[in-house]
Amino acid sequence: MGFLDSVSELCDWPHFHSHKKIKKKQLQTVEIKVKMDCEGCEKRVKKSVEGMKGVTQVKVEPKQSKLTVIGYVDADKVLERVRHRTGKKVEFWPYVPYDVVPHPYAPGAYDKKAPPGYVRNVFQDPQAGELARASSFEVKYTTAFSDENPNACVIM
């Protein structure tokens, strides 16, 4: 609380008890996956959130099917607004850069539909990609008997 806020509360002392604290929204980045086939779809998706209260920046990447909204907004409200205004299937951006995931090509993390350089976010979904989240200790024991490991145990 700053000095000016303190002074303004003192000046408004008769109404002090009826004064409500307004919780300010945090600046956040909302990334949404929405399929865009043409320039018309791109414009419609962009227009669906441009007029929304609190939005400061909108970025559309049609080749990645990605919409990025920056502003003082609620992520769920942005998602619902895009779904309602465009009539398209939308979801939060399910991908992360492949270098963030310990084992990006393990089942559950690798996705053929992902843009280049991205894999599924296995940290959000506990069911998908247990091997993708595996520690080096677990990988060491799972690859001990692998045919691709030149130092694997050989049973004759």
Side-chain angles (χ1 to χ4, degrees), residues 42-141:
E42 182 182 343
K43 287 178 185 177
R44 187 169 47 173
V45 167
K46 190 171 184 176
K47 279 185 107 177
S48 70
V49 291
E50 274 185 335
M52 198 171 175
K53 184 178 177 183
V55 172
T56 57
Q57 185 180 359
V58 178
K59 184 178 178 185
V60 178
E61 299 173 46
K63 288 187 179 182
Q64 291 186 343
S65 299
K66 183 177 180 180
L67 169 69
T68 306
V69 179
I70 300 172
Y72 300 95
V73 293
D74 182 24
D76 293 324
K77 288 183 180 179
V78 173
L79 185 77
E80 189 56 39
R81 178 143 174 173
V82 173
R83 179 181 292 129
H84 177 71
R85 292 265 176 116
T86 63
K88 293 181 172 287
K89 180 185 173 211
V90 296
E91 63 178 314
F92 288 114
W93 187 250
Y95 306 116
V96 293
Y98 73 94
D99 55 348
V100 175
V101 179
H103 307 287
Y105 296 106
Y110 184 73
D111 187 0
K112 291 180 184 177
K113 295 179 182 177
Y118 287 91
V119 293
R120 281 235 170 243
N121 190 353
V122 294
F123 298 111
Q124 283 183 339
D125 188 7
Q127 307 296 333
E130 292 178 10
L131 186 58
R133 290 189 309 274
S135 66
S136 61
F137 178 76
E138 292 169 329
V139 171
K140 182 174 139 183
Y141 285 106

Side-chain angles (χ1 to χ4, degrees), residues 135-156:
S135 66
S136 61
F137 178 76
E138 292 169 329
V139 171
K140 182 174 139 183
Y141 285 106
T142 56
T143 59
F145 298 99
S146 173
D147 291 335
E148 296 162 1
N149 184 0
N151 299 324
C153 297
V154 179
I155 301 174
M156 296 266 176

